[in-house]
């Protein structure tokens, strides 16, 4: 009977959460976290609802399910770009119309772009971690104010709270984000 309960719990966990092995997906990652758990649940809800699974994957980074969609689109585009580059690019970047071979062409732009993309991925990952330090209300208000360009008054009316409450909440969120980036 207990095996059925465990199986049902694991099955429900697999429906609610998608797990990504950070070290497998992000080569060279050196943080302490081992997994990314994408879910519409908060980290606290995951720990309360699935303590055994959470302990198994700890330490982990919790992200929203939309991260999975964005990540999959990114991987698909990367794959498409790599295949296209392999089909259309000469391995030595040698132009037959040029009589001189340039050694600097051996380091192709693709390698440099790839390095820049990896740095952007690291920055995006750090930004996700920083954003996870905020409460759900703070996350929502930061997105409304900075991404959707809503005014503080519009957000206050929408949430049916005072203007001052929204202002203080955003100030606290910015302080948390600044503190996250200050700590090494």
């Amino acid at each position: 009977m207990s095996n059925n309960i465990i199986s049902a719990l694991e099955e429900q966990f697999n429906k609610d959460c998608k797990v990504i092995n950070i070290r497998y997906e992000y080569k060279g990652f050196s943080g302490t976290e081992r997994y990314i758990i994408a879910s519409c649940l908060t980290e606290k809800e995951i720990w309360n609802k699935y303590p055994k699974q959470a302990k198994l994957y700890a330490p982990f980074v919790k992200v929203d399910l939309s991260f999975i969609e964005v990540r999959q689109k990114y991987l698909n585009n990367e794959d498409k770009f790599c295949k296209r580059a392999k089909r259309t690019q000469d391995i030595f970047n040698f132009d037959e119309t040029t009589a001189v071979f340039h050694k600097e062409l051996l380091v192709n732009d693709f390698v440099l772009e790839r390095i820049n993309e990896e740095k952007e991925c690291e920055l995006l990952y750090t930004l996700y971690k920083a954003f996870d330090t905020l409460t759900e209300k703070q996350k929502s208000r930061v997105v409304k104010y900075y991404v959707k360009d809503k005014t503080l008054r519009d957000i206050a009316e929408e949430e049916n709270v005072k203007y001052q409450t929204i202002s203080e909440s955003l100030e606290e969120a910015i302080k948390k984000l600044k503190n996250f980036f200050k700590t090494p």
Side-chain angles (χ1 to χ4, degrees):
M1 181 68 179
S2 66
N3 285 342
N4 291 339
I5 295 171
I6 291 172
S7 298
L9 193 62
E10 288 174 0
E11 197 172 306
Q12 187 63 38
F13 175 78
N14 290 336
K15 285 181 183 177
D16 288 346
C17 306
K18 304 296 178 217
V19 179
I20 300 169
N21 186 330
I22 293 177
R23 295 215 167 83
Y24 174 73
E25 292 292 328
Y26 300 98
K27 304 247 187 282
F29 177 77
S30 60
T32 58
E33 294 81 6
R34 299 180 316 181
Y35 297 95
I36 295 174
I37 296 182
S39 176
C40 57
L41 300 173
T42 64
E43 187 171 345
K44 193 174 190 176
E45 289 172 333
I46 291 171
W47 279 103
N48 289 338
K49 195 171 180 181
Y50 307 109
K52 185 176 180 183
Q53 288 79 5
K55 187 175 180 181
L56 179 68
Y57 294 114
F60 61 85
V61 176
K62 192 275 178 200
V63 295
D64 195 59
L65 279 175
S66 60
F67 172 81
I68 296 293
E69 293 174 28
V70 172
R71 181 178 163 274
Q72 191 58 48
K73 285 180 183 177
Y74 169 78
L75 291 174
N76 289 344
N77 283 333
E78 269 305 292
D79 184 51
K80 183 171 58 175
F81 177 77
C82 289
K83 288 176 181 174
R84 186 179 299 143
K86 287 177 184 175
R87 279 194 317 264
T88 60
Q89 193 174 30
D90 181 28
I91 191 167
F92 294 109
N93 287 335
F94 184 73
D95 184 1
E96 293 175 2
T97 61
T98 308
V100 180
F101 180 76
H102 297 280
K103 284 192 262 181
E104 66 272 9
L105 294 177
L106 286 176
V107 177
N108 58 18
D109 292 337
F110 173 73
V111 173
L112 298 175
E113 286 176 17
R114 187 71 179 184
I115 291 169
N116 288 337
E117 288 171 358
E118 287 175 6
K119 288 179 182 175
E120 288 174 14
C121 283
E122 288 176 24
L123 181 61
L124 188 59
Y125 172 74
T126 305
L127 191 57
Y128 274 118
K129 276 181 65 176
F131 205 65
D132 264 354
T133 63
L134 304 178
T135 66
E136 292 302 317
K137 281 188 179 183
Q138 287 174 330
K139 288 178 189 178
S140 170
R141 290 171 180 167
V142 166
V143 169
K144 288 176 186 175
Y145 186 74
Y146 289 103
V147 178
K148 295 182 180 178
D149 290 328
K150 291 188 177 185
T151 65
L152 295 178
R153 296 209 187 282
D154 290 342
I155 298 169
E157 286 175 15
E158 186 179 302
E159 294 183 9
N160 205 19
V161 295
K162 292 182 180 179
Y163 170 87
Q164 187 66 26
T165 304
I166 302 296
S167 177
E168 290 170 358
S169 176
L170 281 173
E171 285 178 23
E172 184 64 31
I174 298 303
K175 282 181 187 177
K176 283 183 181 179
L177 292 173
K178 283 181 180 179
N179 286 337
F180 180 86
F181 286 106
K182 281 182 183 178
T183 55

